[in-house]
């Protein structure tokens, strides 16, 4: 028989019928000697055994084992420096706690969070989750404590909302840290059996000296992964373009860098202009507002008239939004218009969970 392993490589060997009746193992080491493909050759019911990577069993052969979007903090559409309480920072991540905190993007990657004395401090993301009833999940991440405290309190909370009731799996872990040293942390938890299994899931990470007592916080976190099962596997690094498109389901954006002009519209009267914008990916829900980043943006027409009023978000679907601007006079009904200005990006808000 021909034995072929499909994937990023193709490997074929030939075996005799006598060998087909026994359990066979390919002797070749695959992918820099870290992955070995074991094969049980049975003509009636062939079965592949899960491979291992660096001694860790891999639970599946397809991507998207990580349920968290932007767990590697590669996508920062809103900017890279923030100060506030309960605000979005890196895509899909917001702050929580009793005081405002400062979030920045370190030069070596990840997210850095610094606050003065406060309680219930941490970051959170929300996931669109399907059935999680009775399932075991493992949460893992890289953590660096920049304070001199040797014990760090990790609080996690996974909330499943069903018919308005929060069904929660939560807990905490205290582990010893070395100041300024990045360490890999993993936590395994299981949801109880739920009658209702639909809704969204929240993952909150509170990282503090003591979750409920006021203390300062200064930590860096990266490569956050949530996967089904009880074993923490290596962080899944998805391509940047793919991660960006996943983020844009919740924050559609239009890159205007270096354009100067773009996106045509139509004068609907002597004082008003409509400009349709198509999102790069379908949003979770229609957007409800927009943010202009990096400068100004106004519609102009072929006769040189500018609709210099405020460019406003009027209505939207999950495929795009329509912008509207007004001026006192000078536009011609039916004329084409085009957006111009120094803005570098348009963000469409209201699509987050």
């Amino acid at each position: 028989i021909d034995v072929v392993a499909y994937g990023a490589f193709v490997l074929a060997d030939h075996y005799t019928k006598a060998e087909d009746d026994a359990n066979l193992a390919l002797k070749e080491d695959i992918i820099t000697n870290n992955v070995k493909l074991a094969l049980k050759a049975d003509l009636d019911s062939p079965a592949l055994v899960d491979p291992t990577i660096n001694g860790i069993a891999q639970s599946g052969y397809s991507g998207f084992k990580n349920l968290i979007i932007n767990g590697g903090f590669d996508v920062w559409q809103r900017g890279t420096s923030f100060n506030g309480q309960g605000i979005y920072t890196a895509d899909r991540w917001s702050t929580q706690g009793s005081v405002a905190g400062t979030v920045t993007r370190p030069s070596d990657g990840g997210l850095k969070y610094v606050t003065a004395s406060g309680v219930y401090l941490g970051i959170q993301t929300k996931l669109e989750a399907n059935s999680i009833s009775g399932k075991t999940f493992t949460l893992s991440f890289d953590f660096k404590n920049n304070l001199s405290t040797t014990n760090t309190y990790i609080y996690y909370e996974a909330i499943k909302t069903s018919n308005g009731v929060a069904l929660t799996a939560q807990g905490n872990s205290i582990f010893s840290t070395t100041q300024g040293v990045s360490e890999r942390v993993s936590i395994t938890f299981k949801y109880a059996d739920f009658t209702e299994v639909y809704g969204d899931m929240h993952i909150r990470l509170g990282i503090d000296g003591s979750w409920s007592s006021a203390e300062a916080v200064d930590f860096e976190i990266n490569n956050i992964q949530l996967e089904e099962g009880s074993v923490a596997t290596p962080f899944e690094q998805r391509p940047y373009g793919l991660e960006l498109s996943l983020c844009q389901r919740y924050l559609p954006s239009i890159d205007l860098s270096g354009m100067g002009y773009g996106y045509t519209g139509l004068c609907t009267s002597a004082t008003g202009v409509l400009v349709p914008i198509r999102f790069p990916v379908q949003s979770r829900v229609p957007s409800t507002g927009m943010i202009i980043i990096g400068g100004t943006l106004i519609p102009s027409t072929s006769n040189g008239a500018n609709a210099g009023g405020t460019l406003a978000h009027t209505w939207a679907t999950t495929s795009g939004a329509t912008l509207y601007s007004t001026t006192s006079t000078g536009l011609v009904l039916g004329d084409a218009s085009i957006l111009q200005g120094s803005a570098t990006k348009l963000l469409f808000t209201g699509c987050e969970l």
Side-chain angles (χ1 to χ4, degrees):
I1 91 172
D2 287 338
V3 181
V4 182
Y6 292 98
F9 55 87
V10 176
L11 179 66
D13 279 307
H14 299 268
Y15 299 96
T16 66
K17 178 64 175 64
E19 289 173 318
D20 294 336
D21 295 332
N23 291 333
L24 302 177
L26 294 182
K27 296 180 179 179
E28 286 79 6
D29 290 349
I30 299 169
I31 308 179
T32 62
N33 295 322
N34 286 329
V35 177
K36 290 188 176 181
L37 178 63
L39 173 67
K40 179 181 179 181
D42 187 309
L43 293 178
D44 296 322
S45 56
L48 285 176
V49 179
D50 283 348
T52 62
I53 295 181
N54 293 327
I56 300 174
Q58 301 301 289
S59 58
Y61 298 96
S62 60
F64 293 97
K65 67 178 179 181
N66 189 4
L67 302 180
I68 289 178
I69 296 174
N70 204 29
F73 299 102
D74 294 317
V75 183
W76 297 70
Q77 294 191 98
R78 297 174 177 86
T80 57
S81 180
F82 308 86
N83 184 269
Q85 181 181 5
I87 59 171
Y88 273 98
T89 57
D91 277 52
R92 307 294 298 119
W93 291 95
S94 61
T95 62
Q96 63 172 27
S98 62
V99 296
T102 298
V103 170
T104 55
R105 183 182 190 180
S107 59
D108 57 351
L111 177 147
K112 183 175 183 178
Y113 184 34
V114 180
T115 71
S117 181
V119 296
Y120 306 114
L121 304 171
I123 58 175
Q124 80 165 10
T125 188
K126 301 179 182 180
L127 292 75
E128 293 179 87
N130 294 318
S131 173
I132 60 171
S133 178
K135 292 183 178 179
T136 296
F137 295 91
T138 296
L139 181 69
S140 57
F141 49 90
D142 296 327
F143 173 77
K144 181 166 70 173
N145 179 17
N146 292 317
L147 299 180
S148 58
T149 52
T150 58
N151 290 326
T152 299
Y153 186 97
I154 301 242
Y155 173 87
Y156 68 89
E157 182 177 54
I159 302 174
K160 177 77 171 173
T161 302
S162 176
N163 293 333
V165 179
L167 308 170
T168 303
Q170 63 182 17
N172 63 78
S173 177
I174 298 177
F175 67 99
S176 179
T177 61
T178 302
Q179 184 178 11
V181 176
S182 180
E183 303 172 68
R184 189 71 179 170
V185 180
S186 65
I187 302 168
T188 298
F189 59 91
K190 183 177 181 179
Y191 281 92
D193 290 332
F194 299 149
T195 301
E196 299 291 335
V197 294
Y198 299 101
D200 299 323
M201 181 165 60
H202 301 190
I203 295 297
R204 295 176 180 169
L205 287 176
I207 302 175
D208 203 342
S210 178
W211 178 246
S212 59
S213 62
E215 293 192 25
V217 168
D218 185 342
F219 68 83
E220 295 175 42
I221 192 167
N222 200 3
N223 297 330
I224 303 177
Q225 180 158 283
L226 177 70
E227 57 193 309
E228 189 175 342
S230 58
V231 176
T233 63
F235 179 74
E236 179 182 55
Q237 185 66 59
R238 294 186 285 252
Y240 175 79
L242 175 57
E243 208 71 26
L244 175 62
S245 67
L246 294 174
C247 291
Q248 288 180 335
R249 172 171 168 78
Y250 308 91
L251 184 65
S253 69
I254 303 297
D255 187 2
L256 302 172
S257 301
M259 290 183 62
Y261 297 88
Y263 292 93
T264 57
L266 181 70
C267 297
T268 57
S269 68
T271 59
V273 174
L274 285 175
V275 180
I277 302 289
R278 188 168 183 84
F279 296 158
V281 300
Q282 187 176 36
S283 60
R284 184 184 69 88
V285 294
S287 58
T288 58
M290 71 172 183
I291 301 172
I292 301 174
I293 293 180
T296 61
L297 196 63
I298 59 173
S300 63
T301 65
S302 56
N303 66 2
N306 289 333
T310 301
L311 190 64
H313 180 286
T314 54
W315 64 82
T317 68
T318 57
S319 297
T322 300
L323 311 183
Y324 185 71
S325 184
T326 60
T327 187
S328 57
T329 187
L331 303 181
V332 177
L333 175 65
D335 270 6
S337 67
I338 189 169
L339 288 180
Q340 67 172 358
S342 57
T344 58
K345 187 177 293 184
L346 269 177
L347 300 179
F348 294 88
T349 59
C351 305
E352 291 281 4
L353 287 165

